[in-house]
Amino acid sequence: MTTAKVPSLVTKRRRNLLKQPAAKSDPRKENLWAVRAFDGTRIVLASDLALEHFFFAEGDPTVATVQYPTEQAPEALECDGVNFDALVTYRDGNRECRHVRAKPLNLSSPRHAERLKSYQTAATHLGAAYVEVTVSELDTAKQRIRNWARLIAAYRRCSHRPLEVLEKLLAAHLTSAGETTFQEVLTWIPEEPNALKVAAIARLLRRRLIASDLDEATLSLHTRLWMALS
């Protein structure tokens, strides 16, 4: 006798989405994603917009850490009945509870104004400010989003390998070399595969130990890299 397989959280949420009418304003509201963060946590993102925000936030050099709903704890960012899409902590210590939405709330609507007040109160209880991240803001950061989608994919392919020693070696080289390019970095430590070097650079960037021009230029061999200011 076989035991029936219990649907995963992602499967359940996907079924619920399929029952709902298609979003008319932006098709990026319709999908569902399960991705892994740099620390290996499996994150559940409720739309294509939320996925774009994931790359947007992970690539923000002013951001230190981000908490997202996880497959194990989908309500982890719930407070006072409000579920947030992300809790962002900046390098300066400031925090934001974020909702990712196609359009901002219409504050001329009493219902939206009351909703905003409840969001702000819930965020305050979590020690953060409430912020909406909309399509217009994500669209202004398309370069960063595309670059970090590629960079995180490259990191995930090698994340099962130990990278700590390689990270330290590359950081030491960057400290002495000053501003350089991805192409130059790949010539360092020739005994290590280039794929591992790219993964190590990705994690150094995410740890904000090094900086880049990935907000302005396409990820390539000409991408500029330098040690970040502490």
Side-chain angles (χ1 to χ4, degrees), residues 8 17 37 39 52-53 58 68 71 80 82 101 103 123 145 148 152 187 189 207 216 223 225:
S8 69
L17 282 174
D39 63 1
E52 289 184 28
H53 172 264
E58 294 297 299
Y68 306 92
E71 194 165 41
D80 296 340
V82 178
R101 59 175 78 251
K103 296 180 180 180
I145 290 168
W148 277 81
I152 290 175
T187 67
I189 319 173
R207 292 168 60 197
E216 299 85 27
T223 294
L225 301 168

Side-chain angles (χ1 to χ4, degrees), residues 50-93:
L51 180 65
E52 289 184 28
H53 172 264
F54 171 70
F55 299 128
F56 171 78
E58 294 297 299
D60 187 341
T62 67
V63 166
T65 62
V66 189
Q67 292 176 252
Y68 306 92
T70 67
E71 194 165 41
Q72 292 74 26
E75 310 301 326
L77 299 183
E78 187 273 338
C79 183
D80 296 340
V82 178
N83 288 291
F84 295 108
D85 295 311
L87 174 57
V88 173
T89 302
Y90 286 93
R91 295 174 66 188
D92 64 6

Side-chain angles (χ1 to χ4, degrees), residues 4 6 37 42 89 113 115 126 159 183 190 197 211 230:
V6 178
R42 190 172 173 85
T89 302
R115 190 183 300 174
L126 292 174
S159 59
Q183 187 172 32
K197 296 174 195 175
S230 59

Side-chain angles (χ1 to χ4, degrees), residues 61 147-148 151 174 177-185 188 201-202 204-205 209-228:
N147 285 337
W148 277 81
L151 201 59
L174 276 165
E179 185 176 317
T180 187
T181 65
F182 236 116
Q183 187 172 32
E184 179 64 23
V185 170
W188 299 341
I201 288 295
L204 287 170
L205 284 165
L209 296 178
I210 65 175
S212 71
D213 62 348
L214 290 176
D215 275 5
E216 299 85 27
T218 301
L219 176 64
S220 70
L221 291 175
H222 304 293
T223 294
R224 293 186 292 117
L225 301 168
W226 61 92
M227 295 302 296

